[in-house]
Amino acid sequence: MSRLLHRDTVPPVPAAELTARSADGARIHVELHGPEDAPAVVLAHGWTCNTRFWDAQIRELATDHRVIAYDQRGHGLSPEPGPGGYSTDALADDLEAVLAATLAPGQKAVLAGHSMGGMTVMAAASRPGLREHAAAVLLCSTGVTRLTAEALVLPLRAGALRTRLTTAVLGAKAPLGPVTPVSRKILKYATMGRGSAPDRVDACARIVHACPRRARVEWGHVLAELDLAEGVRALRVPTAVIAGTDDRLTPPVHARAIADALPVGLGLTELTGMGHMTPVEAPEAVSAKIRELVTRYVATGAAVTAEKEDVA
């Protein structure tokens, strides 16, 4: 059995599972963990990952939270969509479908998104479903535009050549193949900090290599052309940002720009020495921030007050 996250060898067992139907009919696999009547947290994973990426957060939070994690379309147990099914609008549709399927009308939750999961939240910022259900948001290791121009994965000077080559890497059609010592080193270099523990590197490698090739390629094309600047400005709920100082995929320049543009920003936490996979590399910090947001906004209803004050 493969080693998974945070010293555990068996993934958390969900209290329930269901399928949410998105606007285009796509089926989205959803896991529900923890007490049904507890404060709710919704977790959206990033490109090439799946719900197992959040195992550390699920273990920590599901003791006293209702933790909702879902597989983005084409990832994990969510089937690949049909033609035209890869877009930021589709990501927003899927998130709205998950919220509608798992939360009661008007029920509030903290939404946490990593990488493409954070982009999902920003893509849905103006959607009625998000505004109905989001009490607060945590954006981890994400960006809104110029992803290929700013990425530091390739050791080249910034410019047109590096951007073109990075775009080609994101859309590369070659299969990843099995996890090997070499592939683990490559993934660690590209996505994690130098001090990342071997078991966490291995866990990330197994998750990423399990992503279907078509989903990896199609979403890579979407990310290369991403522009969600309007989504940041429309995200009118209290929002915290986390980034690793050594993130090569979405360097801290993205997190700083997002934090500056948020209407109800709660500040930026930069995790020294961490790379792109912050929920895996620094699970305690990410879980603690989610718990803090739940305590502050879901339990007290302060999110509604903060939003009204900002609009006024």
Side-chain angles (χ1 to χ4, degrees):
M1 182 178 293
S2 65
R3 299 168 71 188
L4 293 170
L5 305 184
H6 205 218
R7 298 191 299 273
D8 292 293
T9 58
V10 178
V13 177
E17 297 177 88
L18 58 84
T19 299
R21 285 281 183 175
S22 195
D24 63 355
R27 292 181 288 120
I28 307 300
H29 175 75
V30 186
E31 296 181 2
L32 300 98
H33 300 260
E36 187 172 357
D37 59 351
V41 174
V42 179
L43 305 175
H45 68 74
W47 179 50
T48 73
C49 295
N50 57 52
T51 56
R52 296 283 64 78
F53 186 81
W54 295 108
D55 278 358
Q57 284 69 46
I58 292 170
R59 291 187 190 283
E60 161 63 23
L61 298 171
T63 57
D64 53 354
H65 293 74
R66 185 63 159 177
V67 181
I68 300 158
Y70 70 99
D71 286 322
Q72 301 268 23
R73 57 173 58 200
H75 296 75
L77 297 178
S78 293
E80 295 180 12
Y86 293 93
S87 68
T88 55
D89 281 341
L91 292 176
D93 288 341
D94 296 348
L95 177 57
E96 278 201 298
V98 170
L99 296 176
T102 58
L103 300 175
Q107 182 182 0
K108 295 293 186 178
V110 167
L111 278 52
H114 169 258
S115 191
M116 193 174 81
M119 298 165 197
T120 299
V121 175
M122 290 183 282
S126 61
R127 297 292 187 92
L130 185 135
R131 293 189 170 180
E132 177 183 1
H133 293 294
V137 167
L138 176 62
L139 301 174
C140 300
S141 309
T142 191
V144 295
T145 191
R146 291 179 52 81
L147 297 188
T148 55
E150 300 288 357
L152 304 175
V153 174
L154 299 178
L156 300 171
R157 282 192 297 179
L161 175 61
R162 190 181 74 180
T163 300
R164 269 199 317 274
L165 293 176
T166 302
T167 301
V169 170
L170 288 181
K173 295 182 179 180
L176 295 182
V179 177
T180 66
V182 172
S183 69
R184 275 193 293 269
K185 288 182 180 179
I186 293 172
L187 179 130
K188 180 180 178 181
Y189 166 80
T191 68
M192 304 180 79
R194 287 188 291 272
S196 296
D199 62 328
R200 294 179 181 179
V201 176
D202 185 65
C204 283
R206 292 182 183 280
I207 289 170
V208 170
H209 280 245
C211 180
R213 176 168 55 175
R214 181 177 173 227
R216 171 169 54 84
V217 172
E218 294 290 346
W219 285 121
H221 291 318
V222 172
L223 297 180
E225 299 176 1
L226 189 76
D227 187 352
L228 292 174
E230 290 186 10
V232 180
R233 294 189 290 270
L235 192 57
R236 295 185 174 274
V237 296
T239 301
V241 184
I242 282 180
T245 60
D246 292 353
D247 187 343
R248 290 187 172 93
L249 277 180
T250 53
V253 62
H254 293 291
R256 293 166 192 154
I258 291 170
D260 288 343
L262 286 167
V264 194
L266 300 176
L268 165 63
T269 301
E270 294 194 31
L271 301 175
T272 303
M274 300 299 160
H276 183 67
M277 304 298 208
T278 45
V280 176
E281 296 178 78
E284 297 87 356
V286 172
S287 296
K289 181 59 71 172
I290 294 172
R291 184 177 287 278
E292 175 189 325
L293 293 174
V294 171
T295 301
R296 184 176 177 185
Y297 294 105
V298 177
T300 66
V304 176
T305 302
E307 182 176 350
K308 286 181 178 178
E309 287 177 352
D310 177 73
V311 172

